[in-house]
Amino acid sequence: MKNRHKDETCVIVCNGPSLNEMDLKWLRDYTVIGLNKIFLGFKKFGFYPKYHVTVNPKVVEQSEKELKKLTCVKFIGTRGISENSSIQEDALTHFINTKQPRYRFCKDLNDGCREGGTVTYAALQVAYHLGFKKVIIIGMDHNFEYEGKPNEAKVMSGADPNHFIDNYFGYGQTWDNPDLEKSEESYRIAKEIFEQDGREIIDATVNGKCTIFPKADYREFIRT
């Protein structure tokens, strides 16, 4: 799949609450890379991704049944595949080496894929491998409510305030606290590498707090 989408545009759909402030039917006109539990919003938002990326072990374990049902091309990090997992590689399911990636940003997935503290960073490496020249990011709110230290595992007893649906990690599920500092460090690397190759990453998140990428209003990309 290397450079399958050379010089094309894609949209990476993250999972922040800001998705609820958008009409996402315009995504049908783009190649979409969905992340983690975006499948919880397919019916509500009215789109289906061509690609899907998930790397966090907790997300993979919690979503095993749903991931197997997805009919898009899936990239799943090897760190997230346990010995007891029933997920197997097939025509639509590809394991990417997140245990020992060769570079800080892997331009070729044969060299692995660096997690960089956020699945969005992994998705940017997938997008690069596929050849996309322009990447539009939405739903990357970069703003979380949590207690404890970054990367610390926590059980979310009530509703999830950090994602587009309250049961994303809510009501007794375990999640890893975000590490925004590490995420921003990773985003800077991705931005530099994309720009060095004449490519661009645009953050079209509604009221997103990330300041690394150039900003845009997502409505600019709606094709009429």
Side-chain angles (χ1 to χ4, degrees), residues 19-216:
L19 293 182
N20 294 318
E21 301 178 39
M22 306 171 69
D23 181 350
L24 296 180
K25 292 183 177 59
W26 63 281
L27 292 177
R28 296 172 183 173
D29 295 327
Y30 287 87
T31 301
V32 173
I33 301 176
L35 309 182
N36 286 352
K37 298 184 183 180
I38 190 61
F39 51 79
L40 294 174
F42 286 166
K43 290 184 179 179
K44 175 180 180 179
F45 296 133
F47 78 94
Y48 201 92
K50 185 177 182 67
Y51 300 101
H52 183 275
V53 181
T54 182
V55 293
N56 183 280
K58 292 181 179 63
V59 176
V60 175
E61 181 180 1
Q62 294 166 4
S63 309
E64 187 168 308
K65 292 181 180 179
E66 292 81 359
L67 290 174
K68 291 171 67 175
K69 292 178 182 177
L70 292 178
T71 57
C72 58
V73 177
K74 294 160 281 189
F75 296 95
I76 302 176
T78 52
R79 196 175 69 87
I81 301 295
S82 69
E83 294 181 358
N84 299 322
S85 176
S86 63
I87 300 176
Q88 301 292 328
E89 286 192 285
D90 54 35
L92 293 177
T93 308
H94 303 274
F95 293 167
I96 49 177
N97 179 15
T98 52
K99 291 182 178 180
Q100 295 178 315
R102 187 172 180 182
Y103 302 109
R104 191 65 192 277
F105 182 100
C106 296
K107 298 180 179 181
D108 189 319
L109 294 180
N110 291 300
D111 294 321
C113 184
R114 181 78 60 172
E115 292 186 32
T118 167
V119 66
T120 307
Y121 189 61
L124 286 168
Q125 291 162 84
V126 170
Y128 194 102
H129 177 91
L130 293 172
F132 289 105
K133 186 173 184 179
K134 178 185 290 187
V135 177
I136 303 164
I137 301 177
I138 61 172
M140 187 177 69
D141 293 35
H142 201 64
N143 183 35
F144 296 86
E145 295 179 21
Y146 70 96
E147 296 180 354
K149 299 178 181 179
N151 302 306
E152 185 177 358
K154 287 286 187 177
V155 175
M156 192 175 293
S157 57
D160 185 344
N162 299 313
H163 297 87
F164 64 84
I165 192 168
D166 62 358
N167 64 345
Y168 192 98
F169 281 125
Y171 309 115
Q173 298 181 78
T174 303
W175 75 310
D176 293 325
N177 283 345
D179 188 337
L180 297 185
E181 184 175 340
K182 184 175 182 179
S183 297
E184 290 177 358
E185 180 184 353
S186 298
Y187 292 153
R188 290 187 184 95
I189 294 171
K191 180 177 184 291
E192 180 179 356
I193 288 177
F194 265 72
E195 291 179 349
Q196 285 175 350
D197 195 33
R199 310 189 195 193
E200 61 180 330
I201 303 169
I202 299 171
D203 183 3
T205 301
V206 175
N207 297 319
K209 304 301 182 185
C210 183
T211 60
I212 306 301
F213 305 115
K215 298 282 190 177

